[in-house]
């Protein structure tokens, strides 16, 4: 049995509690600066949780630790009851956690359709030899992958641009495409890093509606975002970071009235 299959088996066997994702006392430093300092939180299945804070608060660092880009130096991350600390990013993706980035990271020399198809790599059964020999089963799988990719593009309103080069579509569509590629791995948890960055007011409203539709179609969503109108509009719960520390957590209405949070943002 492959390593990832064993990990998946163990996760389903130890799926305890109501939280789908938990962070315990996460800590990491860069050049002596504490980027995260004992960060703990839990995310329930089906939630939209926003992580907010001033620049340098540790928001993207938290996502990078969860997804294996940065190692878990202190603390632990548990997905569906089992630790994922020490796993590589591709293993974490295969287990059911996908993400996007602050700066859109697409395969610029691939088409829109091909970008989404690459997102299904972790779910494909055919290995290198099957692809090289082009077995019948492998050809059937490729056909199924393309069909599923087209269905995903249709959901995101990108199907008419399936054959465009990814570098030739506007930023609004590039943002959607990166999320579509993440969704192609069929994640249980989707982490979105500033999905509204670079969008105008109308495009941001469209992004908010898209995120709601995504949640209704399955994944739990963790959102890092500077646009407070978007956060307060769609988040079920908000976690506030400041200088690597969690200084607030609760529903949007309560966070808006929190004096410690206001002081962190206004510098009082």
């Amino acid at each position: 049995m492959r390593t990832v299959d064993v990990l998946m088996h163990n996760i389903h066997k130890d799926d305890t509690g109501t939280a789908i994702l938990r962070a315990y006392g996460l800590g990491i430093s860069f050049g002596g600066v504490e980027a995260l300092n004992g960060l703990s939180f839990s995310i329930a299945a089906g939630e939209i949780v926003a992580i907010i804070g001033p620049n340098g608060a540790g928001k993207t660092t938290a996502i990078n630790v969860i997804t294996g880009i940065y190692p878990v130096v202190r603390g632990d991350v548990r997905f569906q009851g089992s630790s994922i600390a020490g796993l590589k990013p591709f293993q974490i993706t295969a287990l059911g956690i996908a993400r996007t980035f602050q700066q859109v990271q697409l395969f610029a020399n691939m088409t829109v359709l091909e970008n989404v198809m690459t997102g299904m790599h972790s779910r494909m059964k055919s290995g290198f030899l099957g692809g090289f020999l082009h077995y019948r089963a492998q050809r059937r799988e490729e056909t199924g992958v393309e069909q599923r990719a087209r269905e995903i593009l249709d959901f995101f309103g990108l199907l008419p641009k399936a054959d465009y080069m990814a570098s030739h579509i506007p930023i609004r569509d590039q943002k959607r495409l990166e999320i579509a590629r993440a969704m192609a791995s069929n994640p249980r948890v989707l982490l979105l890093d500033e999905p509204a960055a670079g969008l105008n007011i109308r495009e941001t409203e469209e992004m908010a509606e898209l995120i709601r539709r995504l949640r209704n179609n399955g994944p739990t969503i963790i959102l890092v975002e500077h646009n407070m109108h978007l956060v307060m509009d769609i988040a079920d719960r908000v976690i506030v970071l400041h200088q690597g520390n969690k200084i607030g957590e609760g529903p949007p209405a309560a966070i808006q009235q929190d004096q410690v949070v206001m002081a962190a943002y206004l510098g009082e």
Side-chain angles (χ1 to χ4, degrees), residues 30-89:
F30 300 104
V33 177
E34 290 281 350
L36 294 177
N37 184 20
L39 175 63
S40 297
F41 60 81
S42 64
I43 309 293
E47 279 193 297
I48 297 178
V49 176
I51 302 177
I52 68 172
N55 289 331
K59 306 180 295 297
T60 295
T61 299
I63 287 184
N64 287 340
V65 171
I66 291 169
T67 55
I69 292 177
Y70 294 158
V72 177
V73 177
R74 297 188 300 278
D76 195 14
V77 179
R78 301 181 74 83
F79 175 56
Q80 297 187 133
S82 289
S83 176
I84 58 173
L87 298 187
K88 303 295 184 182

Side-chain angles (χ1 to χ4, degrees), residues 2 24 27 58 68 75 98 102 105 111 118 124 154 161 190 196 207-208 211 235 244 246 249 254 261:
R2 293 178 306 160
Y24 294 95
Q102 280 186 10
Q105 296 188 16
T111 66
T118 63
M124 294 179 69
D154 190 35
K161 298 180 180 180
L190 176 64
M207 179 61 71
I211 293 172
K246 184 172 74 173
E249 180 175 358
V261 172

Side-chain angles (χ1 to χ4, degrees), residues 102-167:
Q102 280 186 10
Q103 302 295 325
V104 175
Q105 296 188 16
L106 298 172
F107 297 107
N109 294 324
M110 290 185 180
T111 66
V112 168
L113 177 64
E114 289 168 342
N115 266 271
V116 176
M117 291 176 67
T118 63
M120 299 185 198
H121 175 74
S122 64
R123 300 296 182 218
M124 294 179 69
K125 298 178 181 178
S126 300
F128 172 79
L129 184 61
F132 180 76
L133 297 177
H134 218 60
Y135 291 137
R136 182 179 301 175
Q138 194 262 349
R139 293 197 299 270
R140 285 199 301 267
E141 184 176 47
E142 282 185 354
T143 300
V145 165
E146 180 176 342
Q147 177 59 36
R148 178 56 182 153
R150 290 185 181 277
E151 292 171 358
I152 293 171
L153 288 176
D154 190 35
F155 178 89
F156 282 85
L158 294 172
L159 187 56
K161 298 180 180 180
D163 296 325
Y164 287 33
M165 300 302 293
S167 58

